Amino acid sequence: MGDIILIRPHCRENVKTHRLSTILEESLKGYSYNTISTVEEFHSLQNKKILFAISLGESGINLELYALLKKIRLDKTCLEDSVAGIIIDGDSELYTKSVAREITLSANMSGCTFPGRPLVEGTKSLENYNIIAKNLDTDNFDAYIQSGKTLVRQIMKFEPPKHRKPKLLVLHASSYETSNTVNLWEMVKEHLEEDCEIKDISIRNGAVLDCIGCPYTTCMHYGEKNSCLYGGVIVKEVYPAILECDALIMLCPNYNDAISANLSAFINRLTALFRKTRFYDKYLFAVVISGYSGSDIVAQQLIAGLNMNKTFILPKRFTMMETANNPKSIFKAEGIEKRAKDFAENILLQLKGDD
Ligand SMILES: Cc1cc2nc3c(=O)[nH]c(=O)nc-3n(C[C@H](O)[C@H](O)[C@H](O)COP(=O)(O)O)c2cc1C
């Protein structure tokens, strides 16, 4: 068995796969690997290092990928305790990110962990490498190749940190009395209090102003002092709490198939702090509730914003997703106590290890 399992779903349009082949050749140099390219070849991959390599072409659709996703979604332990990253190559400016976050959530729900920044994407123009190429003093194609190499090294050396008494930071923007999301968190929290230090911050009522997108130098200037032009609760309370915590827990009701405005503003405002500090050693967990449907979209937004962009670790089964609408109706969901307990146990297992 090789160092890495390469999951590279077969692409029928062979001519479109040349760029992906080049980046893979460079990224996997020095490693041994086994390739899975069809759904028939896919079997349970527990405790493995995995690289998903996807060719999307112009349409953003790779049919073999969907067959694989189906299998991953149905066998909920098929990637148990594996660690993965994704290289995704498109012939369009669209779809690379949305397909990547869909793969990430599905794999995560089947037991796979993703280190911070687990995605290397090549859009048709490779303009997504403008900044990285400038920073590396190279061209966009070479920046893409370098990013692939870095990703594989990162997957190989990934060692999730463990903590004796983990520090959790819980962020929410809901009413404590009426929110199903908060009610569910309280059910989870009950099983964590003994083993964790838990800090809870509410960012409600317009207390958080959204990022105004200062020029890079202004953002950098404030970021170096762990601050941001806007100041307020984010700088005074949330930044220090983020630096202090081992895991961030986001409580996210589904508002119009997205996380709510205050929580979204928090992620945007994290940019200034991120300029100086990366979060590769901090975990992300989330409780997501929808009144009707769409929790997976909210979870994917968290994956894109906090794991893919802001470098938080995505531990296996990072999110609990439920459906409840009227106040307190979460208490009536069948089996909810047991699911809350299981979720808490997973948080403890990820943060503390087996001992
Ligand atoms: C402004 C607003 C927008 C909402 N949009 C959606 C939605 O798009 N889809 C959905 O399933 N539920 C939606 N809901 C319902 C909530 O997700 C639902 O009430 C759920 O219980 C979580 O919210 P809670 O923690 O405040 O109770 C929305 C609720 C509000 C207040």
Side-chain angles (χ1 to χ4, degrees):
M1 187 57 84
D3 301 325
I4 300 181
I5 307 288
L6 178 67
I7 302 185
R8 184 183 181 179
H10 174 71
C11 177
R12 291 182 192 195
E13 295 157 281
N14 224 342
V15 55
K16 303 257 175 72
T17 62
H18 179 67
R19 203 169 65 174
L20 183 63
S21 298
T22 310
I23 188 171
L24 286 176
E25 202 175 298
E26 289 296 323
S27 305
L28 292 166
K29 238 179 221 165
Y31 299 102
S32 60
Y33 60 93
N34 296 69
T35 306
I36 292 174
S37 54
T38 63
V39 68
E40 288 77 21
E41 288 163 1
F42 183 84
H43 50 87
S44 254
L45 294 171
Q46 306 191 335
N47 243 308
K48 297 283 187 295
K49 303 281 186 176
I50 297 173
L51 181 65
F52 289 93
I54 318 294
S55 181
L56 282 185
E58 188 185 342
S59 65
I61 291 170
N62 175 320
L63 290 175
E64 199 63 30
L65 170 66
Y66 282 97
L68 278 158
L69 267 185
K70 181 174 177 184
K71 217 162 170 182
I72 290 171
R73 286 181 187 173
L74 293 178
D75 180 349
K76 294 184 179 11
T77 57
C78 65
L79 299 174
E80 202 70 37
D81 296 322
S82 286
V83 173
I86 302 174
I87 298 180
I88 193 157
D89 189 79
D91 200 26
S92 157
E93 299 308 292
L94 309 179
Y95 314 119
T96 44
K97 181 62 76 66
S98 62
V99 173
R101 56 187 220 169
E102 204 174 354
I103 298 170
T104 306
L105 178 62
S106 301
N108 181 264
M109 289 170 72
S110 290
C112 190
T113 290
F114 289 82
R117 284 264 159 104
L119 171 65
V120 168
E121 51 178 338
T123 60
K124 178 178 183 166
S125 65
L126 289 183
E127 279 193 25
N128 55 318
Y129 284 96
N130 285 352
I131 302 284
I132 298 173
K134 206 164 140 200
N135 290 343
L136 294 175
D137 197 18
T138 187
D139 58 47
N140 288 28
F141 183 71
D142 187 52
Y144 182 32
I145 302 288
Q146 298 300 331
S147 302
K149 286 181 170 177
T150 306
L151 174 64
V152 172
R153 272 200 305 272
Q154 205 188 334
I155 298 167
M156 292 310 290
K157 70 166 204 262
F158 179 71
E159 287 282 344
K162 299 295 167 206
H163 305 276
R164 201 181 51 78
K165 184 144 195 178
K167 294 185 193 120
L168 313 185
L169 170 63
V170 184
L171 286 189
H172 72 91
S174 306
S175 146
Y176 243 89
E177 291 75 48
T178 55
S179 164
N180 280 307
T181 316
V182 172
N183 293 153
L184 178 54
W185 166 246
E186 292 283 311
M187 276 187 242
V188 176
K189 187 177 166 188
E190 213 178 284
H191 305 285
L192 296 171
E193 275 165 328
E194 213 170 284
D195 294 280
C196 303
E197 269 177 48
I198 305 177
K199 188 177 174 72
D200 203 301
I201 302 181
S202 164
I203 43 176
R204 276 185 81 197
N205 297 336
V208 179
L209 295 167
D210 203 345
C211 175
I212 46 166
C214 290
Y216 178 76
T217 45
T218 312
C219 185
M220 195 67 180
H221 170 77
Y222 283 95
E224 282 185 346
K225 292 183 280 185
N226 292 342
S227 186
C228 156
L229 178 71
Y230 261 170
V233 64
I234 287 286
V235 168
K236 286 203 194 93
E237 268 196 76
V238 181
Y239 280 1
I242 289 276
L243 293 174
E244 184 68 15
C245 78
D246 301 314
L248 171 64
I249 306 204
M250 299 287 287
L251 306 190
C252 301
N254 176 348
Y255 279 10
N256 286 301
D257 295 322
I259 64 173
S260 67
N262 283 311
L263 293 174
S264 174
F266 151 70
I267 297 176
N268 296 338
R269 292 277 302 278
L270 208 50
T271 308
L273 188 62
F274 177 74
R275 301 259 183 239
K276 190 177 125 192
T277 314
R278 301 284 139 128
F279 308 115
Y280 285 106
D281 58 343
K282 298 181 191 297
Y283 292 81
L284 170 69
F285 293 96
V287 173
V288 176
I289 300 203
S290 297
Y292 310 98
S293 66
S295 291
D296 53 324
I297 304 176
V298 176
Q300 286 177 28
Q301 190 183 355
L302 292 167
I303 288 172
L306 289 167
N307 167 247
M308 290 175 172
N309 293 348
K310 293 285 189 284
T311 69
F312 284 82
I313 299 167
L314 196 77
K316 69 174 180 178
R317 302 190 184 89
F318 91 104
T319 180
M320 180 168 187
M321 294 179 280
E322 294 290 334
T323 308
N325 203 355
N326 295 331
K328 309 278 176 206
S329 58
I330 190 67
F331 294 113
K332 296 189 199 123
E334 209 182 316
I336 193 69
E337 296 276 357
K338 160 96 173 60
R339 288 198 296 285
K341 185 164 180 277
D342 289 349
F343 183 57
E345 280 170 2
N346 183 48
I347 293 177
L348 286 179
L349 182 66
Q350 300 311 304
L351 296 179
K352 291 180 59 135
D354 283 330
D355 55 326

